[in-house]
Amino acid sequence: MRKVGANMQTKEPVSTGAQMNGADMLIESLRRENVDVIFGYPGGAVLPIYDKLYGSGMFHVLARHEQGGIHAAEGYARISGKPGVVIATSGPGATNIVTGLADAMIDSLPLVVFTGQVASSVIGSDAFQEADVLGITMPITKHSYQVRNISDMPRIIKEAFHIATTGRPGPVLIDIPKDMAQGDGTFNYEGEIDLPGYQPTYFPNQLQVKKLTDAVAAAKKPVILAGAGVLLSKGSEELKNYAERQNIPVINTLLGLGCFPADHSLHLGMAGMHGTYTANMAIYESDLLISIGARFDDRVTGNLKHFAPNAKIAHIDIDPAEIGKNVPTKIPIVGDAKEVLKQLLLQEGEVGDYTKWHEKLAAWKQEYPLWYQNSADVLKPQKVVELLHKYTNGDAVVTTDVGQHQMWVAQYYTFNNPDRWVTSGGLGTMGFGLPSAIGAQLANKDKTVVAVVGDGGFQMTLQELGVIRELNLPVKVVVLNNQSLGMVRQWQEIFYEERYSHSLIPHQPNLMKLAEAYDIKGLQASTEEEAHAALKEAMETDGPVLLNFFVAPKENVYPMVAPGKGLHEMVGVKP
Ligand SMILES: Cc1ncc(C[n+]2csc(CCOP(=O)(O)OP(=O)(O)O)c2C)c(N)n1
């Protein structure tokens, strides 16, 4: 694998006040932000930038499509904790990253994204490859800039990194008209960041912390709902300490998986549409629901009318706009998840009497675990995920696409550690799994990275196999091939009387030939025995492998909360 971050400090530092070319300023600013990888794709409007990248020593990954580049940057950001950096050209290059921006925005991933723009003198004239990128992306970026004065470039870049990575992380876009990259200005990176309108709150109000502490002592049926905010704040250890000290059970959102060990006796599983019986029923019956770094997405809550009807809601979030947005909140606490948990741990922390509650939860766990019927005739996708867990010792970084396979990984991989899980939660972006694995592998080159994808989503971004080959990234790509857009097929079976309108894909490419075309090892399996052998061989292979598992085409994801139903109205629970 090529070395990431070989970049960067190869050049002499540039002194403040130096006259400099705009593109050089950009590269110098990235150096100062310790950027160790850029995901990008060149084109006319960014040629001045690419010209300066040439010979700069910066590590640049040439995606095969801009969407692949930005998803790779998201995977990199999620696993490294550092901002992902993207460059795309104007017009179609910029519009190709729109999905990734929306994805990063809703899943709170820090990105700094540079788009080329036509020259300032022709903006607004429908010039070649002109698109109003600021207009298009305003609602799906945390902030955006257009450089209008070359000497502003360093300040803007410095602010962009600050905004992307602080408070609730998100994508920041910088649109650079070609003349801003070509001309000269004065370089100054030392100025203080001065953003009076942007002051995220990290430390919670003590009165609110005390209120929550009192509520915990008085509760009889408390639960914690832990989301991605715990991972983003690196607060897993504090969460474990707090939950154990207070003896409070923990439920995860999809994006929060791994922030609390899934095999811990206090863990109840994932909540929501395909959550466990115990997690969903615990929310339904709880009298105190403590949400930490989660945003009450409708896939988690089900019908809000029936959501936690008996619970006092405490909501801990760094983004005040989230509090009370979907669910009325009795105890709002604005702050960074880790800092709030630290403050909670500093309180005396009287432990309530939850004996009966724990007895009930244990009985549910025992009686209604996740389940599927294994088969001797056909390979079950859940079995493949269980085998994947076995052959990776449950410690791989797993990325997924969107659909049934994503839910099976969430249910059956058993994430016991933080920062092993990369998925598109809020936007549900097919095509995310393979490119995000590239970024995840570059962020953590020592870990096994597995991209689990469906045969539908895989075909949306499979061209990024070219990057995997070029960089010799040892990513293992697992296709759970059910010859259909499985999740759509499932909904058509259940809600549309089996009218499978355009969800079956009988004409599949030959994935072994595809692997050969990309010079990647290809393995396939259609029985459990073959699956064992394929996974064993894949994990013993140093380089990349494409694994094609022909799985039961009609398998559905259960349990399921149908749209419009409450969490307590799950179907497909173990009989
Ligand atoms: C870009 C995009 N287009 C459409 C959808 C709607 N959608 C959600 S799941 C799904 C089916 C996915 O099929 P596949 O990738 O084969 O995975 P499976 O469900 O079979 O595991 C579709 C079409 C989506 N989430 N994203």
Side-chain angles (χ1 to χ4, degrees):
M1 197 194 310
R2 254 174 71 179
K3 199 157 170 252
V4 184
N7 92 27
M8 295 287 187
Q9 316 305 340
T10 48
K11 298 253 160 139
E12 286 286 296
V14 176
S15 51
T16 294
Q19 281 302 294
M20 242 174 121
N21 164 274
D24 277 330
M25 285 189 192
L26 188 156
I27 287 167
E28 179 60 23
S29 304
L30 295 186
R31 265 199 198 104
R32 296 202 180 203
E33 294 294 337
N34 294 315
V35 170
D36 51 19
V37 54
I38 302 166
F39 301 91
Y41 207 98
V46 286
L47 275 179
I49 298 170
Y50 272 81
D51 192 48
K52 298 296 182 184
L53 270 176
Y54 188 79
S56 69
M58 300 291 265
F59 181 50
H60 174 281
V61 173
L62 177 67
R64 300 311 195 251
H65 184 294
E66 289 87 350
Q67 183 184 358
I70 193 164
H71 291 331
E74 291 182 82
Y76 173 83
R78 179 66 279 283
I79 294 304
S80 70
K82 294 172 66 176
V85 175
V86 178
I87 303 179
T89 195
S90 68
T95 55
N96 274 349
I97 58 166
V98 167
T99 303
L101 288 170
D103 193 274
M105 183 72 178
I106 198 164
D107 283 354
S108 311
L109 292 171
L111 299 182
V112 175
V113 177
F114 298 92
T115 48
Q117 184 52 277
V118 300
S120 310
S121 56
V122 293
I123 287 178
S125 71
D126 293 335
F128 178 64
Q129 295 193 325
E130 180 179 4
D132 175 8
V133 175
L134 290 194
I136 292 167
T137 62
M138 189 93 53
I140 49 168
T141 48
K142 184 173 175 187
H143 195 58
S144 54
Y145 296 89
Q146 188 172 65
V147 181
R148 305 231 166 105
N149 176 334
I150 299 171
S151 301
D152 286 343
M153 182 92 76
R155 172 186 60 79
I156 287 175
I157 295 174
K158 191 169 182 175
E159 286 179 8
F161 275 90
H162 175 70
I163 294 170
T165 54
T166 51
R168 177 179 181 171
V172 179
L173 183 134
I174 305 174
D175 197 38
I176 305 180
K178 195 168 184 178
D179 49 313
M180 295 292 119
Q182 266 169 333
D184 287 349
T186 308
F187 183 80
N188 178 3
Y189 216 75
E190 268 73 53
E192 289 281 305
I193 289 175
D194 180 23
L195 298 168
Y198 175 71
Q199 303 288 335
T201 302
Y202 283 82
F203 301 99
N205 178 305
Q206 288 301 322
L207 283 176
Q208 296 302 96
V209 171
K210 176 78 174 63
K211 254 195 212 169
L212 177 53
T213 303
D214 293 345
V216 166
K220 293 275 172 273
K221 302 177 185 179
V223 282
I224 290 171
L225 176 64
V230 178
L231 293 166
L232 295 168
S233 75
K234 304 266 171 232
S236 295
E237 207 179 307
E238 287 76 7
L239 173 62
K240 187 159 170 279
N241 292 342
Y242 181 69
E244 284 177 349
R245 188 187 76 174
Q246 301 298 144
N247 197 24
I248 302 178
V250 178
I251 292 167
N252 276 131
T253 65
L254 173 74
L255 284 176
L257 290 174
C259 79
F260 190 84
D263 64 359
H264 196 289
S265 59
L266 285 171
H267 194 247
L268 307 182
M270 179 174 78
M273 182 169 272
H274 295 295
T276 62
Y277 179 86
T278 310
N280 284 344
M281 287 307 294
I283 290 177
Y284 187 70
E285 291 211 356
S286 66
D287 64 358
L288 175 65
L289 173 63
I290 307 166
S291 168
I292 311 179
R295 59 184 178 79
F296 295 115
D297 175 270
D298 56 281
R299 282 291 198 266
V300 168
T301 62
N303 187 331
L304 281 172
K305 263 202 284 182
H306 305 296
F307 181 70
N310 308 309
K312 189 183 257 189
I313 308 262
H315 192 171
I316 299 165
D317 204 297
I318 198 157
D319 182 355
E322 284 301 340
I323 290 176
K325 187 180 82 178
N326 295 334
V327 169
T329 303
K330 275 269 161 45
I331 308 174
I333 303 185
V334 177
D336 174 74
K338 182 185 180 105
E339 293 303 334
V340 176
L341 283 161
K342 275 192 192 165
Q343 292 301 317
L344 286 165
L345 282 163
L346 286 178
Q347 304 270 316
E348 288 266 317
E350 190 186 325
V351 179
D353 178 8
Y354 314 139
T355 319
K356 286 210 172 111
W357 183 223
H358 281 293
E359 280 168 13
K360 188 169 210 177
L361 296 171
W364 281 339
K365 264 187 172 180
Q366 173 83 20
E367 209 166 329
Y368 305 114
L370 284 171
W371 76 290
Y372 67 95
Q373 197 97 52
N374 205 17
S375 160
D377 306 326
V378 60
L379 181 58
K380 288 292 178 108
Q382 301 93 328
K383 176 55 74 181
V384 177
V385 176
E386 286 177 343
L387 293 180
L388 181 64
H389 184 274
K390 171 181 155 80
Y391 285 101
T392 56
N393 300 317
D395 198 33
V397 172
V398 184
T399 74
T400 70
D401 231 82
V402 169
Q404 291 182 311
H405 63 279
Q406 176 189 33
M407 293 300 125
W408 286 317
V409 175
Q411 291 178 331
Y412 290 96
Y413 191 78
T414 319
F415 289 93
N416 287 324
N417 298 301
D419 303 331
R420 303 290 194 279
W421 173 231
V422 185
T423 200
S424 169
L427 202 65
T429 305
M430 283 172 73
F432 179 86
L434 174 57
S436 61
I438 292 172
Q441 186 76 80
L442 290 170
N444 192 343
K445 46 189 189 319
D446 301 326
K447 276 259 167 290
T448 301
V449 174
V450 183
V452 181
V453 298
D455 47 290
F458 177 56
Q459 294 187 60
M460 286 194 172
T461 49
L462 63 78
Q463 73 284 343
E464 303 305 330
L465 288 172
V467 176
I468 289 179
R469 177 67 285 162
E470 182 188 332
L471 301 182
N472 196 27
L473 300 177
V475 171
K476 314 296 183 247
V477 183
V478 168
V479 184
L480 292 186
N481 193 338
N482 51 13
Q483 325 252 316
S484 66
L485 303 175
M487 191 56 98
V488 171
R489 198 209 62 82
Q490 173 168 345
W491 281 49
Q492 288 171 337
E493 179 187 322
I494 301 173
F495 306 119
Y496 295 88
E497 296 162 335
E498 302 186 17
R499 289 187 295 280
Y500 297 123
S501 180
H502 303 280
S503 59
L504 308 180
I505 319 180
H507 297 289
Q508 296 270 344
N510 180 328
L511 297 192
M512 294 304 96
K513 284 192 177 163
L514 184 78
E516 194 185 341
Y518 278 101
D519 192 20
I520 286 174
K521 183 188 259 192
L523 297 169
Q524 58 188 10
S526 43
T527 66
E528 201 177 314
E529 201 185 335
E530 288 171 2
H532 273 279
L535 282 166
K536 183 166 184 292
E537 182 174 346
M539 295 313 152
E540 286 167 2
T541 302
D542 280 341
V545 182
L546 175 62
L547 295 116
N548 186 22
F549 292 98
F550 290 104
V551 294
K554 291 189 170 167
E555 191 71 8
N556 287 340
V557 183
Y558 288 118
M560 180 175 192
V561 178
K565 299 286 185 188
L567 291 185
H568 62 303
E569 295 172 294
M570 280 160 283
V571 295
V573 177
K574 190 171 174 29

